Amino acid sequence: SAATVERGRQLVGLGACAACHTGSELARFGGGLPLDTPFGRIWSTNISPSPEAGIGAWSYPAFERAMRDGISRDGHHLYPAHPYTSFAGSTDADLQALYAFLMAQPAVDAAPPATRLHFPFRVRPLMAVWNALFLRAREWQADPARTVEWNRGAYLVETLGHCSACHSPRNALGAEKRGGAYHLAGGMADGWEAPALTAASHAPVPWTARALYDYLRTGEAAAHGSAAGPMATVVAGLAALPDADIRAMAAYLASVAGQEGAIDEAALARAAEARSPAMTADSTGARLYAGACAACHEAGGVVPLALHSSLHSAQPDNLVQAVLRGVAATRTAPGHMPAYADSLNDRQVADLLAHLRARFAPDKPGWTGLERTVARVRGAGR
């Protein structure tokens, strides 16, 4: 039905399916996006309804098995870059809606490159052992002690939303560390840090349900900054969801962060800003900031740098990414930051970051090895 297909459209947005399954050379859902992992490069697959190149010849049971068990239609094991460990908890109705939507899309008759991982990870039958260790294929269960809204948010976050796929650390075999303090405690995604969503967050102002709603709905929160990198893509996909779902996700994530009660965000933001000393031009980094950054970041209308989580993190990767690659404006967050990869060398970027850390996060220790980090991040984007 049209209603089922529409629900599938929303769920595709929730899962950011197009973000991974649309490469630069192929059409939407045609696959071909390279995903670099510690085990080698994985190419996303074609999930359009093409009978030859995509999933057009797949029955719903075949699709469901891939989503829940990580096994393709022909019986080969999928790699967990496809987050079936999260999708396994989805309801039958949601998987059916997702299938209906994908089968209603235009077919893309093009095959992406085949994945070839390093030995022994390329031996797909070994994934049966991996699944036995790390896959818990059961439908998500509501917590009767919690509200309907909280349970709705938990379901969306933990299943098709698969937030833990990026925001949880992984072990040596590439599986999420799900237990206890590890769950949603921060990870890495495509060269960006996916920060902790728990009380371990480095954000100078705690994330409340209101701030999380603003961020997920618009890509920006007044006391936290704007979404960039992979998270900007996630926010773009979430635009398909109704407000009630976004509020439910925010309520659940606020509880994970231990911020279910009200706090005075404005007062905490003012206190964080007050810790930043006035700008002086007595270093290379300060002069670079004055020339390239201050015109926007010292003016009103943008979230103060003292409130950005990236400046308070234990690692500088996100700030390096933003400086080198810039931050694109979006439909809901019109702010734009230019890229400086072609304007500043590694030493200059390192000097700038050292100044930003000292000025806007003065209570945090300085980052070490900045120039090496900048070179690594720059090289990974080529």
Side-chain angles (χ1 to χ4, degrees):
S1 68
T4 299
V5 172
E6 168 57 20
R7 181 58 188 153
R9 183 187 71 84
Q10 295 176 10
L11 295 170
V12 161
L14 170 66
C17 304
C20 284
H21 288 279
T22 304
S24 58
E25 302 297 326
L26 300 178
R28 185 173 166 87
F29 300 121
L33 185 74
L35 305 170
D36 290 317
T37 76
F39 314 105
R41 174 168 288 185
I42 292 174
W43 293 89
S44 65
T45 54
N46 184 328
I47 58 169
S48 80
S50 167
E52 293 79 24
I55 61 172
W58 290 39
S59 64
Y60 171 72
F63 177 80
E64 180 189 23
R65 184 172 70 161
M67 293 292 285
R68 293 195 193 280
D69 302 328
I71 299 176
S72 185
R73 175 174 176 260
D74 64 5
H76 78 261
H77 286 271
L78 304 176
Y79 292 119
H82 169 55
Y84 57 88
T85 53
S86 294
F87 296 163
S90 304
T91 65
D92 290 340
D94 277 353
L95 290 184
Q96 289 161 8
L98 195 63
Y99 176 80
F101 173 81
L102 290 173
M103 290 302 180
Q105 303 312 296
V108 180
D109 295 319
T115 292
R116 294 285 186 270
L117 298 188
H118 310 312
F119 183 83
F121 306 107
R122 70 168 70 111
V123 182
R124 286 189 184 263
L126 291 177
M127 284 303 305
V129 178
W130 193 97
N131 287 343
L133 291 172
F134 305 117
L135 176 61
R136 302 293 179 265
R138 58 176 180 271
E139 191 169 309
W140 179 87
Q141 297 295 317
D143 183 348
R146 291 287 191 165
T147 66
V148 171
E149 180 182 61
W150 185 95
N151 276 298
R152 177 63 177 164
Y155 170 76
L156 294 172
V157 165
E158 301 294 354
T159 60
L160 287 172
H162 66 284
C163 301
S164 62
C166 292
H167 287 276
S168 292
R170 292 179 178 266
N171 63 24
L173 294 178
E176 292 176 34
K177 295 181 179 180
R178 290 177 172 264
Y182 289 119
H183 183 56
L184 298 175
M188 294 296 294
D190 199 21
W192 291 72
E193 179 189 10
L197 302 179
T198 64
S201 168
H202 294 290
V205 177
W207 282 92
T208 63
R210 176 180 175 179
L212 285 159
Y213 169 81
D214 290 343
Y215 188 81
L216 296 175
R217 183 81 291 174
T218 70
E220 188 169 71
H224 297 277
S226 56
M231 194 61 207
T233 304
V234 170
V235 170
L238 292 177
L241 269 66
D243 262 10
D245 280 352
I246 300 296
R247 292 191 188 281
M249 292 173 70
Y252 170 68
L253 289 171
S255 75
V256 171
Q259 290 298 331
E260 292 183 271
I263 64 170
D264 191 339
E265 292 179 68
L268 291 172
R270 288 193 296 270
E273 291 178 64
R275 290 197 295 269
S276 303
M279 182 175 70
T280 59
D282 58 357
S283 69
T284 300
R287 290 190 290 273
L288 287 167
Y289 174 78
C293 315
C296 291
H297 287 288
E298 295 291 322
V302 296
V303 176
L305 285 174
L307 302 182
H308 280 253
S309 297
S310 58
L311 275 160
H312 296 264
S313 175
Q315 56 196 57
D317 293 56
N318 285 6
L319 196 58
V320 176
Q321 292 276 14
V323 171
L324 291 181
R325 322 228 189 274
V327 177
T330 66
R331 177 182 59 84
T332 53
H336 168 73
M337 176 177 161
Y340 289 98
D342 295 330
S343 306
L344 302 177
N345 61 35
D346 293 350
R347 180 69 260 164
Q348 289 171 318
V349 175
D351 288 341
L352 173 60
L353 266 57
H355 167 74
L356 294 175
R357 175 77 159 184
R359 182 181 175 200
F360 296 107
D363 56 330
K364 303 291 184 181
W367 288 311
T368 59
L370 272 173
E371 193 168 355
R372 292 193 301 274
T373 301
V374 175
R376 171 176 57 78
V377 173
R378 188 193 294 270
R382 290 173 180 164

